[in-house]
Amino acid sequence: MADVESLVSSAATVYARKYGKEPQWFAAAPGRVNLIGEHTDYNDGFVFPMAIERYTVIVAGPAEAETDAEFYSMYKNKSAFVQVDGSAKPPLHVAWFSYIQGTVQNVFEAGLTIPPFRAVVVSDVPLGGGLSSSASLEVAVATLLESAAGKKLDPVEKALLCQKAEHLYAKMPCGIMDQFISAMGEKGFAMLLDCRSKVPKMIPMDSPNVSVLIINSNVKHTLTGSEYPDRRRQCEKAAALMGVPMLRDADLELLQAKKEVFDKEIDGDICFRRARHVITENARTLAMAEALTEKEWKHCGELMYESHASMKDDFEITCPEVDILVDVTSKQKGVFGSRMTGGGFGGCTVSLVDTDKINDVIESVSQRYERQTGILPTAFATQAARGAYCPKE
Ligand code: ADP
Ligand code: MG
């Protein structure tokens, strides 16, 4: 894992080699992990992400060209040329262009004057690993443009325009979590985010004795492709059956009281269990914010295990490999709790672990997981990191 300083220096070296001068503008934006609160966002509920010590870094300087800007991605070893004069139109067909062009366009529409420039992008957020390299790229671009234009955006507006870029240009209907935490994360804090009011609340997560361990199962199942829209529909139906606008507005008592209404429906049992996941997950997310504030690690861990069980049995979005990963992790000394994080059917787990035991846990879990699945996982530990900033300011 590289730190921001070394990412800046490797991008600056490439910039100097390509363009024969030093960069003038610098931006860094982190990836994120969701501690708890899964599939609650589109039900107007609560999520609880924190920024991780993995960043997308951009270095840049002015160019002589008239209207466009060049972004050279060290990962892709390619340049994307984007319009800075407000003339871009969605959607775009090359995925990684679309995140950048969409953000540039939306920053332009927010009123910033963007000079023609050249930029080099480097990232140590794993791409496509569920840690939101896409949001970190968008937020890094917006942060860079603030420097280039000499004007700051309102942080909430900045996060929302990055999300809009992902919706309109990359055609990815994501929630608000990723861009909010990447833009507004603070070192030593996780963010309890109410997806209805869009008001974030920073919760201290600054104990050096406890670390967040992220383990990638290195599996991703694509089943029929309708898993996500199916669940959204089931959640909407469950809310309608209970007579509430969104599942956020229901509680377990109401769900139980409406059991007979669900029983009359052909997919009543599924909708009932989907609702039970969302209702209990919202409650767990709020409880986790309290437990974390009180540094009640054991309680935090229990909530994480319960979250995983609920995703497995009620929401049915885990998979055998991830279940094995959580199970073997739970048996290690120094582990408080563990769960799958992200959309589901593979991806990463997040665990709360005694910092002194991290290396033992990684070694032992890797061995056991590989023995049972034949797949080698990848793992790293992190503390709650800082949101987007300009490294040289
Ligand atoms: P995640 O956000 O979980 O990492 P996504 O599929 O949402 O996964 O976003 C990954 C995509 O974002 C990549 O496939 C690529 O198009 C784009 N991307 C992210 N970081 C970079 C980068 N450093 N250079 C080029 N493209 C990037
Ligand atoms: Mg993404």
Side-chain angles (χ1 to χ4, degrees):
M1 183 176 84
D3 55 22
V4 168
E5 218 173 296
S6 51
L7 290 171
V8 168
S9 104
S10 66
T13 304
V14 171
Y15 183 92
R17 203 165 54 222
K18 273 177 80 68
Y19 307 120
K21 45 188 152 183
E22 298 295 310
Q24 291 181 20
W25 305 311
F26 304 86
R32 62 95 187 97
V33 65
N34 191 23
L35 295 172
I36 197 164
E38 225 61 76
H39 287 263
T40 45
D41 56 346
Y42 52 84
N43 292 295
D44 265 5
F46 298 90
V47 291
F48 198 21
M50 66 170 223
I52 57 174
E53 293 158 334
R54 296 276 178 130
Y55 286 82
T56 295
V57 163
I58 310 182
V59 306
E64 297 75 39
E66 270 132 46
T67 51
D68 60 358
E70 176 180 1
F71 281 89
Y72 172 76
S73 162
M74 287 172 60
Y75 178 85
K76 296 274 177 188
N77 190 18
K78 270 194 199 132
S79 285
F81 293 91
V82 304
Q83 251 78 55
V84 295
D85 61 355
S87 61
K89 296 220 167 24
L92 296 178
H93 299 296
V94 182
W96 74 282
F97 275 42
S98 62
Y99 300 106
I100 297 174
Q101 177 70 83
T103 306
V104 170
Q105 179 71 19
N106 292 342
V107 169
F108 177 91
E109 287 174 14
L112 265 58
T113 309
I114 307 165
F117 64 89
R118 290 153 161 174
V120 173
V121 184
V122 63
S123 184
D124 70 350
V125 185
L127 269 70
L131 301 173
S132 213
S133 70
S134 58
S136 75
L137 177 60
E138 293 145 16
V139 174
V141 169
T143 305
L144 182 85
L145 298 181
E146 290 178 314
S147 280
K151 195 176 156 195
K152 290 254 182 268
L153 295 159
D154 168 71
V156 171
E157 183 190 14
K158 177 169 149 182
L160 291 174
L161 69 80
C162 290
Q163 180 206 21
K164 196 171 115 197
E166 189 145 343
H167 284 189
L168 290 182
Y169 284 78
K171 293 279 159 216
M172 184 59 73
C174 56
I176 58 169
M177 163 167 73
D178 302 355
Q179 291 81 8
F180 262 65
I181 185 66
S182 185
M184 289 175 268
E186 287 173 36
K187 188 174 161 62
F189 289 86
M191 176 189 275
L192 176 66
L193 183 55
D194 181 336
C195 296
R196 173 170 279 170
S197 67
K198 299 192 176 61
V199 176
K201 185 175 173 199
M202 302 314 288
I203 304 289
M205 170 125 198
D206 51 359
S207 172
N209 305 329
V210 175
S211 296
V212 167
L213 175 61
I214 295 165
I215 311 179
N216 194 333
S217 67
N218 287 329
V219 292
K220 190 78 201 169
H221 298 281
T222 30
L223 309 167
T224 64
S226 68
E227 292 78 19
Y228 184 74
D230 280 351
R231 278 160 186 75
R232 281 192 85 133
R233 201 164 16 78
Q234 290 152 357
C235 288
E236 279 164 24
K237 179 164 177 179
L241 289 175
M242 286 187 282
V244 293
M246 302 292 270
L247 283 184
R248 150 75 174 270
D249 304 300
D251 57 22
L252 275 184
E253 213 177 314
L254 177 66
L255 182 66
Q256 282 304 341
K258 295 282 181 179
K259 179 94 177 58
E260 279 176 21
V261 179
F262 281 83
D263 286 344
K264 291 195 189 105
E265 300 294 317
I266 186 156
D267 55 355
D269 174 57
I270 291 183
C271 293
F272 185 89
R273 287 185 292 117
R274 303 298 189 249
R276 186 163 59 194
H277 165 74
V278 174
I279 291 168
T280 55
E281 186 77 351
N282 274 329
R284 281 187 290 272
T285 304
L286 293 173
M288 177 97 169
E290 263 180 45
L292 209 63
T293 306
E294 300 301 324
K295 304 199 186 320
E296 292 166 352
W297 309 121
K298 200 165 164 284
H299 187 201
C300 291
E302 285 159 6
L303 293 164
M304 293 170 89
Y305 288 133
E306 283 169 24
S307 168
H308 188 82
S310 177
M311 289 190 286
K312 176 173 183 282
D313 301 328
D314 276 351
F315 221 66
E316 296 177 290
I317 48 166
T318 68
C319 62
E321 295 88 348
V322 164
D323 292 338
I324 290 170
L325 195 49
V326 169
D327 184 57
V328 295
T329 306
S330 72
K331 295 189 172 124
Q332 307 306 310
K333 273 211 185 75
V335 173
F336 297 104
S338 184
R339 58 182 285 278
M340 184 188 75
T341 182
F345 309 104
C348 294
T349 62
V350 58
S351 310
L352 215 51
V353 180
D354 186 336
T355 302
D356 287 342
K357 303 275 191 331
I358 283 278
N359 290 335
D360 296 345
V361 171
I362 292 177
E363 197 182 313
S364 172
V365 168
S366 300
Q367 275 174 12
R368 279 157 219 260
Y369 177 74
E370 191 187 9
R371 207 178 305 143
Q372 290 191 45
T373 63
I375 304 160
L376 202 61
T378 32
F380 67 93
T382 180
Q383 298 282 323
R386 180 179 182 182
Y389 67 107
C390 296
K392 299 270 179 175
E393 272 173 21

